[in-house]
Amino acid sequence: MQYWDPRVEEMPAADLRKVQYKLLKSLVCRLYSFSPFYHDRMKEQKVHPDDIRELSDIGKLPFMFKRDLRDNYPNRIFTASQDELVRYHVSSGTTGKPTVVGYTQRDLDLWTSSLARALTSIGLGRGDVIQVSYGYGLFTGGLGVHYGAERIGATVLPTSVGNTERQIELMQDLNVTAIACTPSYLLHIGEVAEKMGFDIKKDSCLKTGILGAEPWTEGMRTRIENWLGIKAYDIYGTSELSGPMFTECAQQTGFHIWSDIAYAEIIDPKTGEALEAGEKGELTITMLQKEALPMIRYRIGDIASIDEDVCPCGRTSPRINRIQGRVDDMLIIRGINVFPSQVEYTLMSIPEVGQHFQIVVERSGALDDMLIRVELTKKSFSDKITDLMKIRQSVEHRLRNALSVAVDVELVEPGSLPRFEGKSKKVIDKRVL
Ligand SMILES: [Zn+2]
């Protein structure tokens, strides 16, 4: 069994909690004394550092939201001075002002070692060639994985996104063993490779996919693994916390949240109450050691559950089970909550269906209508019209059962829906346009 930092990764859970409590206490004391933002927030909430006497007292502290970063644009919450900052990342966001995250050298070191542990846990290391096909630049994906991969002694191929044919040639010529990108982009790479007459499964050394930056399902994992002959691992993080920081281990049962770096809670998004292990709710993270932009109880908006049992890999840190979607991705169709990931989950279990789909929501009169465009596989698309009608009925029926809401399904030709190099856009909600 391979560990990057066995001292922490195998530390008994009770000891980890002691470490977390110490880090939390000193973080709260520091912020109360030196950060006007946190000082005011804690006063409003009527909580003082003296009230933090054990780890569970974290529940007394106020939450933080993305809007806090926007309202304090660009850097009014930073707790490091300009001469301590060594990097900025900026996330554009779809609405409002962007958010700016500053990093001290120690922040970058911690981010890098988080990924070094993660990449080691999926069996990567010296001798591997890791193609980083996440965007480089203001987005954290590219540079984040890049430094983590270099830290473990792997060779990095920093292709960034785009120029897909060249990416595939390099993958072949330089014997790439792992690729980091969005699952949507890997699907696109696989299709372009097929068109170029290059079979990734047979003709490449690729064995590992490090896939994230958008929610994806177990069904999609199975598809990608069987099609490309690789193991596909979920990677997680968000720019406000640092960037991509955590992956699943080789067991593929949720990503490990390193306890000395982050404290994870699952809360009820409506009431803010902490939920028990295994219950589904909103992921909330406290970064225990960040210097430039500390985050206490940051409401990420992703829906997930936590597993606190020791992982079969031997690592003692808790795992977050696959992200089910974002609170703000949730569609309300005729009063029913629908997550795009539920649609993907259902579609991926139907063999006639290809990897791509699109959800279109409209309002006709007072009612919402949901149309799901579904690409078929090449094989099923060539079937007779009567067969296609049967497939359509069966897809509609299964979606209706899974979502508890009526849907219309349109079957479309393989290759006809848009492809994405970065994060995919699977939902077109015409009600809000
Ligand atoms: Zn594990």
Side-chain angles (χ1 to χ4, degrees):
M1 195 77 67
Q2 278 257 301
Y3 297 101
W4 178 257
D5 190 349
R7 187 187 55 88
V8 190
E9 291 175 62
E10 293 182 297
M11 189 182 279
D15 294 346
L16 278 176
R17 277 194 288 277
K18 281 182 203 151
V19 171
Q20 289 186 304
Y21 171 67
K22 265 192 183 166
L23 290 168
L24 177 70
K25 180 84 180 182
S26 81
L27 177 69
V28 170
C29 292
R30 175 166 74 90
L31 294 179
Y32 192 80
S33 307
F34 299 110
S35 159
F37 171 83
Y38 279 104
H39 184 92
D40 292 351
R41 273 290 167 89
M42 285 187 230
K43 282 214 135 165
E44 272 166 35
Q45 185 97 352
K46 298 188 174 51
V47 55
H48 186 272
D50 291 346
D51 301 324
I52 307 302
R53 292 187 207 100
E54 56 189 9
L55 192 55
S56 61
D57 288 334
I58 195 168
K60 298 174 180 169
L61 293 167
F63 290 116
M64 231 182 130
F65 298 87
K66 188 160 186 149
R67 63 171 178 269
D68 292 319
L69 298 185
R70 290 213 180 100
D71 293 348
N72 290 284
Y73 178 86
N75 56 7
R76 289 204 294 274
I77 321 182
F78 286 14
T79 51
S81 63
Q82 181 65 57
D83 59 2
E84 293 171 296
L85 295 182
V86 295
R87 198 192 294 171
Y88 289 123
H89 279 286
V90 180
S91 86
S92 55
T94 41
T95 50
K97 278 216 168 77
T99 53
V100 177
V101 178
Y103 301 77
T104 65
Q105 186 57 52
R106 191 158 179 280
D107 291 336
L108 289 185
D109 289 344
L110 210 61
W111 180 12
T112 300
S113 51
S114 172
L115 272 175
R117 291 182 203 172
L119 297 175
T120 304
S121 79
I122 54 176
L124 297 173
R126 228 162 252 285
D128 278 299
V129 181
I130 304 182
Q131 180 168 343
V132 181
S133 306
Y134 280 119
Y136 277 69
L138 293 175
F139 173 63
T140 50
L143 286 169
V145 178
H146 183 107
Y147 283 100
E150 281 187 352
R151 178 72 61 90
I152 60 168
T155 313
V156 176
L157 178 62
T159 47
S160 194
V161 287
N163 210 343
T164 306
E165 294 194 358
R166 187 169 158 76
Q167 299 233 7
I168 293 162
E169 281 163 17
L170 290 171
M171 177 188 283
Q172 190 173 20
D173 295 346
L174 296 172
N175 299 325
V176 166
T177 58
I179 184 165
C181 59
T182 60
S184 315
Y185 192 42
L186 187 56
L187 290 177
H188 183 54
I189 289 177
E191 287 180 339
V192 174
E194 271 185 0
K195 278 187 200 138
M196 291 164 70
F198 175 56
D199 185 341
I200 290 180
K201 193 173 192 169
K202 289 203 199 98
D203 307 332
S204 82
C205 301
L206 195 69
K207 58 174 182 167
T208 305
I210 308 154
L211 310 180
E214 62 185 21
W216 55 303
T217 59
E218 282 303 312
M220 185 61 86
R221 184 199 321 260
T222 310
R223 294 268 180 131
I224 289 175
E225 290 190 339
N226 293 339
W227 180 34
L228 302 178
I230 63 172
K231 282 276 179 198
Y233 298 97
D234 201 9
I235 182 168
Y236 185 77
T238 176
S239 60
E240 298 82 42
L241 302 179
S242 258
M245 296 190 90
F246 311 110
T247 68
E248 299 173 302
C249 64
Q251 303 290 324
Q252 296 180 312
T253 51
F255 49 87
H256 280 277
I257 293 263
W258 311 121
S259 303
D260 57 323
I261 293 178
Y263 181 79
E265 297 169 90
I266 300 291
I267 59 155
D268 181 323
K270 289 202 184 84
T271 64
E273 292 294 317
L275 298 175
E276 296 290 314
E279 285 186 282
K280 211 191 285 181
E282 183 178 353
L283 178 58
T284 300
I285 285 193
T286 298
M287 296 296 283
L288 295 167
Q289 299 199 45
K290 263 184 100 184
E291 291 181 333
L293 182 56
M295 301 295 269
I296 289 185
R297 306 194 84 202
Y298 180 60
R299 302 270 296 257
I300 302 180
D302 286 334
I303 303 290
S305 60
I306 196 166
D307 184 346
E308 289 175 347
D309 295 340
V310 175
C311 181
C313 77
R315 289 175 181 81
T316 46
S317 56
R319 281 159 292 150
I320 301 297
N321 295 317
R322 189 174 274 285
I323 300 294
Q324 316 267 318
R326 291 186 54 76
V327 174
D328 42 5
D329 279 347
M330 190 177 78
L331 295 162
I332 302 176
I333 309 289
R334 300 189 181 194
I336 308 269
N337 299 345
V338 173
F339 283 102
S341 56
Q342 290 174 292
V343 175
E344 180 180 300
Y345 181 84
T346 307
L347 291 177
M348 290 307 114
S349 66
I350 307 173
E352 291 87 358
V353 169
Q355 270 86 316
H356 298 266
F357 65 93
Q358 185 179 57
I359 302 170
V360 184
V361 187
E362 278 181 293
R363 178 161 292 161
S364 57
L367 288 179
D368 304 314
D369 287 325
M370 181 161 64
L371 168 74
I372 303 183
R373 296 202 176 102
V374 176
E375 267 189 27
L376 291 176
T377 60
K378 275 189 196 126
K379 189 174 165 295
S380 55
F381 191 72
S382 58
D383 287 349
K384 290 194 294 285
I385 295 278
T386 45
D387 294 337
L388 289 179
M389 299 225 340
K390 262 188 224 147
I391 296 175
R392 181 168 156 256
Q393 277 168 359
S394 132
V395 173
E396 270 181 358
H397 177 74
R398 291 175 71 165
L399 283 169
R400 204 168 14 229
N401 278 347
L403 308 175
S404 310
V405 63
V407 291
D408 288 319
V409 166
E410 181 187 330
L411 300 179
V412 300
E413 197 179 339
S416 58
L417 293 175
R419 302 299 196 251
F420 300 93
E421 292 179 343
K423 296 184 191 200
S424 63
K425 191 169 173 1
K426 295 194 174 98
V427 179
I428 300 174
D429 195 339
K430 295 186 174 169
R431 298 173 301 179
V432 292
L433 289 178

Short mmCIF file of all heavy atoms in Angstrom, two decimals, residues 249 251 253 256 311-315 319, ligand 1:
data_model
loop_
_atom_site.label_atom_id
_atom_site.label_comp_id
_atom_site.label_asym_id
_atom_site.label_seq_id
_atom_site.Cartn_x
_atom_site.Cartn_y
_atom_site.Cartn_z
N CYS A 249 -9.49 7.25 -3.56
CA CYS A 249 -8.33 6.36 -3.58
C CYS A 249 -8.65 5.22 -4.54
O CYS A 249 -9.69 5.23 -5.20
CB CYS A 249 -8.03 5.85 -2.18
SG CYS A 249 -9.37 4.82 -1.55
N GLN A 251 -9.87 2.52 -4.07
CA GLN A 251 -11.13 1.83 -3.77
C GLN A 251 -12.33 2.44 -4.49
O GLN A 251 -13.40 1.84 -4.55
CB GLN A 251 -11.42 1.87 -2.26
CG GLN A 251 -10.32 1.29 -1.40
CD GLN A 251 -10.24 -0.21 -1.54
OE1 GLN A 251 -11.24 -0.89 -1.69
NE2 GLN A 251 -9.02 -0.74 -1.53
N THR A 253 -14.41 4.76 -3.58
CA THR A 253 -15.61 4.88 -2.73
C THR A 253 -15.65 6.25 -2.06
O THR A 253 -15.65 6.34 -0.84
CB THR A 253 -15.65 3.78 -1.65
OG1 THR A 253 -14.39 3.81 -0.97
CG2 THR A 253 -15.91 2.43 -2.23
N HIS A 256 -11.23 11.21 -0.35
CA HIS A 256 -10.71 11.43 0.99
C HIS A 256 -10.49 12.91 1.23
O HIS A 256 -9.84 13.58 0.45
CB HIS A 256 -9.36 10.71 1.15
CG HIS A 256 -9.48 9.25 1.40
ND1 HIS A 256 -9.71 8.73 2.65
CD2 HIS A 256 -9.41 8.18 0.57
CE1 HIS A 256 -9.77 7.41 2.58
NE2 HIS A 256 -9.60 7.04 1.33
N CYS A 311 -11.39 3.62 5.63
CA CYS A 311 -11.48 3.10 4.25
C CYS A 311 -10.71 1.78 4.16
O CYS A 311 -9.70 1.60 4.84
CB CYS A 311 -10.88 4.15 3.33
SG CYS A 311 -10.92 3.71 1.60
N PRO A 312 -11.15 0.86 3.31
CA PRO A 312 -10.38 -0.38 3.11
C PRO A 312 -8.93 -0.12 2.69
O PRO A 312 -8.06 -0.97 2.88
CB PRO A 312 -11.13 -1.10 1.99
CG PRO A 312 -12.51 -0.54 2.01
CD PRO A 312 -12.40 0.86 2.54
N CYS A 313 -8.63 1.07 2.16
CA CYS A 313 -7.25 1.39 1.77
C CYS A 313 -6.39 1.65 2.99
O CYS A 313 -5.17 1.77 2.88
CB CYS A 313 -7.22 2.60 0.84
SG CYS A 313 -7.43 4.18 1.68
N GLY A 314 -7.00 1.80 4.17
CA GLY A 314 -6.24 2.03 5.40
C GLY A 314 -6.19 3.49 5.81
O GLY A 314 -5.78 3.81 6.92
N ARG A 315 -6.61 4.38 4.93
CA ARG A 315 -6.58 5.80 5.29
C ARG A 315 -7.73 6.10 6.24
O ARG A 315 -8.85 5.60 6.07
CB ARG A 315 -6.67 6.67 4.03
CG ARG A 315 -5.39 6.62 3.21
CD ARG A 315 -5.49 7.38 1.90
NE ARG A 315 -4.24 7.27 1.18
CZ ARG A 315 -3.89 6.21 0.44
NH1 ARG A 315 -4.70 5.19 0.31
NH2 ARG A 315 -2.71 6.17 -0.16
N ARG A 319 -14.47 10.16 4.04
CA ARG A 319 -14.68 10.27 2.59
C ARG A 319 -16.02 10.95 2.31
O ARG A 319 -16.98 10.76 3.04
CB ARG A 319 -14.71 8.87 1.95
CG ARG A 319 -13.33 8.29 1.76
CD ARG A 319 -13.40 6.79 1.63
NE ARG A 319 -13.82 6.18 2.88
CZ ARG A 319 -14.50 5.04 2.96
NH1 ARG A 319 -14.84 4.38 1.87
NH2 ARG A 319 -14.83 4.56 4.13
ZN ZN B 1 -9.36 5.00 0.68
#
